[in-house]
């Protein structure tokens, strides 16, 4: 893929009383355009994604009604990854010169609800009525089985959370900027065994946007383009263990995260061992642990030693979720994947301040994963 | 006297002294899925038949739900909430079925333990019928 990111914008994640998701989307889009030295009139294609905003394209009246195709897109927690992919694909197809991807969301406090009509997600109503339609149950159960199979202790979960909030404390744009002690995390209340309160991210509010163009035209707009070397979207294969599945076969298959990451690394011609900074979906500490292996950064079971030795911290061999990840930023679903890309762009541009990965990183990776078994993996380079 | 009705028709045999889950088996590749569905997620065939699943299996993984699930869709009473176990039980048909568990104590659950199906009261509908649903409990 020969597409470059030429502008990045973020409306910081957190709680923003009185500011709508769409207003945050407008702010992120304007920041991304400013970063590229462009205005909305220069945009040929827009892609918007959100859970809470029914139709992101309605924001056109705040940006300016210029007649461009503005596609709405939603793929659960993988929405952000797909927004970038769709914008890039539109440029690859020759539909225009400049495309923008905008993700925005604003969720109420508390666990995500699937609402009152489960037929809309292919499930019987009974599944929700008896209390099975709860994401954290799946996170707990997958983590539980993985720890059993690969000899990993709760120590790894605690350390992953310590690192997330430590990174968040170095990120002025993070929602949770207080570093938490190992003790606080390890003794926080149990949510879904073996996962505790501070192992989890919370739904939050925020927006992020990216402006892209053909790589060979990027120099017109910026001196620091970030190249999308590969961007792959996969849905679940029969046999992968996924959230909200009333049954799964005993004969298991690799997750969509494995499929997407492998394909992305292959297409990029860059291997996971060559990545300088990575973002993986850390809905909770258990999934950061599992995604380290699913995305190819280690073998199953190696996480215990890697995390203990600080390999995934800033300054480690493979820094992961350097901005504090979902744990320190929360998850506005539509925007989350683009926040990951925003962070990797900052790192590769050398603009990450207190949390800058040392050694002048030149390659990055982002990964989103979500219901009902979707994943996007992106390989980036300077 | 109230009548006991399944929380949804077609999930398990009821009334029955030894209730069984109702799944489907693909007529093309033989894969078993629960609940029963008219098509096969493994091979894309649209020819399946109903099959009654074994009542016993082994606990493949588990967790305990420590907070009241979002409501809707959960129909429990948040004020009377008690943590409950959830797990996947691997059955001899080669399928792992997700279900609430009768146990809610981490010390009483272990991956690999024998489990068996039970049907118990979940709640009452507007007409005073007892709505029944399935659970797995550690096998005696
Ligand atoms: Zn089949």
């Amino acid at each position: 893929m020969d597409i470059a990111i030429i502008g990045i914008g973020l409306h910081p994640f957190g709680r923003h009383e009185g500011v709508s998701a769409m207003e945050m989307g407008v702010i992120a889009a304007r920041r991304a355009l400013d970063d590229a030295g462009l205005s909305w009139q220069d945009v040929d294609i827009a892609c918007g994604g959100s859970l809470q905003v029914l139709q992101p394209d309605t924001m056109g009246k705040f940006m300016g009604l210029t007649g461009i195709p503005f596609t709405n897109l939603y793929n659960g927690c993988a929405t952000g990854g797909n927004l970038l992919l769709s914008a890039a694909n539109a440029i690859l197809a020759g539909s225009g010169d400049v495309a923008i991807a905008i993700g925005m969301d604003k969720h109420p406090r508390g666990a995500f609800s699937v609402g009152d009509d489960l037929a809309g997600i292919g499930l019987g109503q009974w599944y929700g009525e008896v209390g099975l339609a709860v994401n954290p149950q799946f996170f707990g159960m997958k983590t539980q089985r993985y720890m059993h199979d690969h000899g990993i202790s709760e120590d790894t979960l605690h350390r992953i959370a310590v690192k997330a909030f430590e990174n968040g404390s170095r990120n002025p744009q993070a929602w949770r900027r207080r570093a938490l002690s190992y003790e606080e995390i390890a003794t926080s209340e149990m949510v879904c065994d073996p996962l505790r309160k501070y192992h989890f991210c919370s739904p939050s509010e925020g927006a992020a946007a990216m402006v892209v163009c053909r790589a060979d035209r990027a120099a017109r707009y910026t001196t620091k383009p970030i190249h999308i070397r590969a961007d792959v979207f996969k849905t679940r294969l029969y046999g992968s263990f996924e959230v909200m599945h009333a049954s799964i076969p005993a004969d298991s298959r690799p997750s969509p995260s494995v499929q997407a990451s492998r394909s992305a690394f292959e297409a990029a011609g860059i291997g996971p061992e060559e990545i300088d900074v990575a973002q993986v979906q850390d809905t909770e500490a258990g999934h950061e642990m599992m995604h380290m292996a699913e995305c190819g950064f280690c073998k199953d079971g190696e996480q215990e030693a890697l995390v203990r030795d600080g390999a995934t911290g800033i300054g480690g061999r493979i820094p992961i979720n350097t901005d504090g990840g979902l744990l320190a930023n929360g998850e506005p679903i539509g925007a989350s994947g683009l926040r990951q890309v925003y962070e990797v762009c900052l790192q590769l541009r050398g603009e990450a301040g207190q949390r800058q990965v040392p050694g002048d990183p030149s390659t990055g990776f982002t990964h989103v994963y979500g219901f009902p078994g979707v994943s996007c993996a992106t390989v980036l380079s300077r | 006297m109230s009548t006991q009705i399944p929380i949804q028709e077609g999930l398990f045999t009821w009334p029955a002294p030894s209730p069984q889950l109702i799944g489907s088996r693909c007529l093309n590749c033989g894969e078993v899925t629960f609940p029963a569905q008219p098509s096969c997620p493994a091979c894309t065939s649209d020819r399946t038949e109903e099959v009654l699943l074994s009542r016993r299996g082994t606990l493949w993984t588990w967790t305990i739900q420590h907070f009241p699930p979002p409501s809707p869709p959960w129909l429990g009473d948040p004020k009377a909430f008690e943590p409950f176990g959830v797990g996947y039980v691997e059955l001899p048909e080669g399928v792992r079925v997700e279900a609430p568990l009768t146990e809610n104590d981490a010390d009483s659950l272990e991956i690999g333990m024998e489990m068996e199906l039970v049907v118990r009261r979940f709640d009452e509908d507007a007409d005073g019928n007892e709505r029944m649903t399935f659970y797995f409990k550690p096998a005696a």
Side-chain angles (χ1 to χ4, degrees), chain A residues 129-144:
Chain A
E129 289 175 351
V130 303
L132 293 179
V134 184
N135 293 338
Q137 290 173 4
F138 164 75
F139 301 140
M141 286 192 284
K142 187 174 172 188
T143 302
Q144 181 98 274

Side-chain angles (χ1 to χ4, degrees), chain A residues 44-361:
Chain A
D44 300 311
I45 295 131
C47 302
S50 181
L51 172 63
Q52 300 290 335
V53 176
L54 187 61
Q55 279 200 223
D57 62 333
T58 54
M59 71 189 282
K61 74 174 178 182
F62 300 118
M63 300 302 300
L65 296 169
T66 55
I68 58 167
F70 192 135
T71 302
N72 301 316
L73 182 159
Y74 181 71
N75 279 101
C77 301
T79 299
N82 259 335
L83 287 170
L84 184 65
L85 178 61
S86 297
N89 278 341
I91 299 298
L92 278 179
S95 305
D97 291 325
V98 172
I100 189 166
I102 314 163
M104 67 210 87
D105 248 319
K106 184 181 183 81
H107 306 298
R109 287 175 170 75
F112 285 112
S113 167
V114 294
D116 57 4
D117 181 17
L118 272 71
I121 50 172
L123 289 165
Q125 198 62 30
W126 66 274
Y127 185 84
E129 289 175 351
V130 303
L132 293 179
V134 184
N135 293 338
Q137 290 173 4
F138 164 75
F139 301 140
M141 286 192 284
K142 187 174 172 188
T143 302
Q144 181 98 274
R145 180 72 203 191
Y146 190 89
M147 290 167 67
H148 172 268
D149 283 349
H150 301 290
I152 291 173
S153 73
E154 289 174 22
D155 176 67
T156 297
L157 302 176
H158 305 330
R159 288 177 188 272
I160 285 170
V162 167
K163 176 201 46 113
F165 295 112
E166 156 66 20
N167 290 354
S169 75
R170 299 199 211 178
N171 175 6
Q173 293 183 302
W175 179 22
R176 313 247 187 235
R177 290 194 291 267
R178 184 172 74 85
L180 297 181
S181 71
Y182 184 99
E183 181 75 14
E184 270 178 289
I185 291 161
T187 59
S188 63
E189 63 192 274
M190 194 65 89
V191 174
C192 282
D193 305 55
L195 299 171
R196 296 173 181 273
K197 178 181 170 186
Y198 289 130
H199 294 147
F200 274 94
C201 83
S202 302
S204 70
E205 311 173 9
M210 303 282 133
V211 181
V212 299
C213 75
R214 269 170 51 171
D216 60 359
R217 294 181 183 169
R220 297 180 189 177
Y221 310 106
T222 179
T223 55
K224 292 179 173 178
I226 301 300
H227 295 265
I228 304 176
R229 302 290 295 269
D231 194 347
V232 175
F233 171 41
K234 295 283 185 182
T235 63
R236 64 203 186 284
L237 286 171
Y238 179 69
S240 86
F241 181 25
E242 302 296 340
V243 60
M244 291 194 217
H245 280 52
S247 74
I248 53 169
D251 190 9
S252 64
R253 302 272 292 279
S255 75
S257 300
V258 173
Q259 313 287 339
S261 302
R262 275 187 196 155
S263 300
F265 283 124
E266 203 175 292
I270 294 175
E273 67 288 346
E274 296 171 82
I275 295 295
D276 296 326
V277 55
Q279 292 267 336
V280 303
Q281 178 90 18
D282 58 326
T283 314
E284 18 62 47
H287 268 76
E288 176 165 320
M289 168 186 73
M290 294 183 286
H291 287 150
M292 286 169 63
E294 291 184 25
C295 295
F297 296 109
C298 67
K299 294 196 174 68
D300 288 323
E302 290 179 350
Q303 294 96 329
E304 184 105 340
L306 285 172
V307 170
R308 188 189 56 226
D309 298 343
T312 58
I314 293 164
R317 179 170 71 71
I318 174 65
I320 290 178
N321 296 336
T322 45
D323 61 350
L326 277 80
L327 260 62
N329 290 281
E331 187 182 27
I333 288 181
S336 193
L338 291 177
R339 173 195 50 80
Q340 297 182 328
V341 178
Y342 178 88
E343 170 66 7
V344 168
C345 288
L346 284 186
Q347 292 284 353
L348 300 187
R349 284 158 45 155
E351 297 170 358
Q354 289 291 304
R355 62 184 191 284
Q356 179 65 47
V357 168
D360 201 18

Side-chain angles (χ1 to χ4, degrees), chain A residues 127 141 193 238 245 248 250, chain B residues 31 61 63 66 88 96 98:
Chain A
Y127 185 84
M141 286 192 284
D193 305 55
Y238 179 69
H245 280 52
I248 53 169
Chain B
E31 275 293 315
T61 189
T63 190
H66 287 275
Y88 277 84
R96 297 172 185 146
E98 186 183 17

Side-chain angles (χ1 to χ4, degrees), chain B residues 11-85:
Chain B
L11 276 186
F12 50 88
T13 56
W14 191 260
S18 298
Q20 285 177 275
L21 296 177
I22 304 167
S24 52
R25 176 184 283 124
C26 176
L27 292 170
N28 181 48
C29 75
E31 275 293 315
V32 171
T33 304
F34 173 82
Q37 61 176 58
S39 54
C40 175
C43 77
T44 77
S45 156
D46 60 359
R47 291 168 54 243
T48 65
E49 63 179 358
E50 278 193 2
V51 57
L52 298 184
L53 304 182
S54 300
R55 303 187 59 250
R56 284 172 83 114
T58 55
L59 189 60
W60 185 71
T61 189
W62 60 272
T63 190
I64 292 165
Q65 173 72 30
H66 287 275
F67 64 94
S71 194
W74 182 56
L75 290 186
D77 177 5
K79 289 191 203 77
F81 176 76
E82 290 283 342
F84 60 91

